[in-house]
């Protein structure tokens, strides 16, 4: 595999956060009268940008849901994440190795808002490897599955998208990476917080792996 840079998604790829965020969302949906299981919330919202889902929530609840509700969701979500978020198993060692072997040409391109993105990377000890190279879909004209956030990351790394490898765990994210022209590897360790391997491959990932410790070998960069 010939490439010059690696761009990671954040939630579900670098940090184990999806069950925390969707737990808060499940509770707040229930307060609006929209009763869903945690698994159903994961299936409906993982990989999506919350600002883009307000219309669906308004329709499902029969109530006008706008910026104030979203701000309260962010507040409660960030409070939960600050207490509970953890790094994905083996990702710290992998990111450190790739940062070293690629002379810092790694980035994080997330569909999440910047406060969440930076909170999670800081809490898990990952921020030193991504400082100055974090990109939020909220700051783009369109978030994933649009390729914009990945194109922005590649440009900041001064690397053509075709020379980048993207690491994603959702169909939405894989679609964005493929649309950017990058090579996409799917991360799918199992469970409802990640898209199944078959779905990632069907969306354009060239391979799927289940353990972050195996990523350097897949990239030909293991020590």
């Amino acid at each position: 595999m010939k490439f010059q840079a690696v761009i990671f998604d954040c939630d579900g790829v670098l940090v184990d956060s999806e069950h925390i965020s969707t737990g808060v969302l499940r509770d707040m949906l229930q307060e609006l009268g929209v009763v869903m299981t945690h698994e159903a919330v994961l299936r409906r919202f993982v990989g999506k940008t919350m600002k883009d889902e307000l219309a669906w929530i308004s329709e499902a609840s029969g109530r006008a849901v706008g910026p104030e509700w979203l701000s309260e969701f962010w507040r409660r979500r960030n409070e939960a994440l600050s207490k509970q978020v953890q790094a994905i198993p083996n990702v710290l060692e992998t990111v450190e190795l790739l940062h070293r072997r690629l002379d810092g040409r790694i980035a994080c391109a997330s569909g999440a808002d910047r406060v969440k993105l930076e909170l999670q990377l800081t809490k898990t000890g990952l921020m030193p490897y991504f400082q100055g190279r974090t990109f939020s879909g909220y700051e783009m004209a369109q978030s994933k599955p649009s390729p914009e956030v990945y194109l922005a990351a590649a440009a900041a790394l001064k690397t053509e998208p075709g020379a980048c490898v993207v690491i994603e765990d959702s169909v939405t994210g894989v679609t964005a990476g493929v649309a950017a022209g990058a090579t996409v590897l799917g991360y799918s360790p199992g469970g409802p917080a990640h898209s199944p391997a078959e779905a990632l491959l069907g969306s354009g990932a060239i391979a799927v792996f289940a353990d972050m410790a195996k990523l350097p070998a897949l990239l030909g960069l293991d020590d």
Side-chain angles (χ1 to χ4, degrees), residues 154-194:
L157 293 170
K158 297 180 171 59
T159 306
E160 289 296 319
C164 295
V165 175
V166 161
I167 314 300
E168 268 287 358
D169 74 320
S170 73
V171 166
T172 301
V174 170
T175 302
V178 170
T183 296
V184 182
L185 295 177
Y187 174 64
S188 183
H194 305 268

Side-chain angles (χ1 to χ4, degrees), residues 193-210:
H194 305 268
S195 294
E198 297 80 5
L200 299 178
L201 292 168
S203 301
I206 66 163
V208 176
F209 64 104

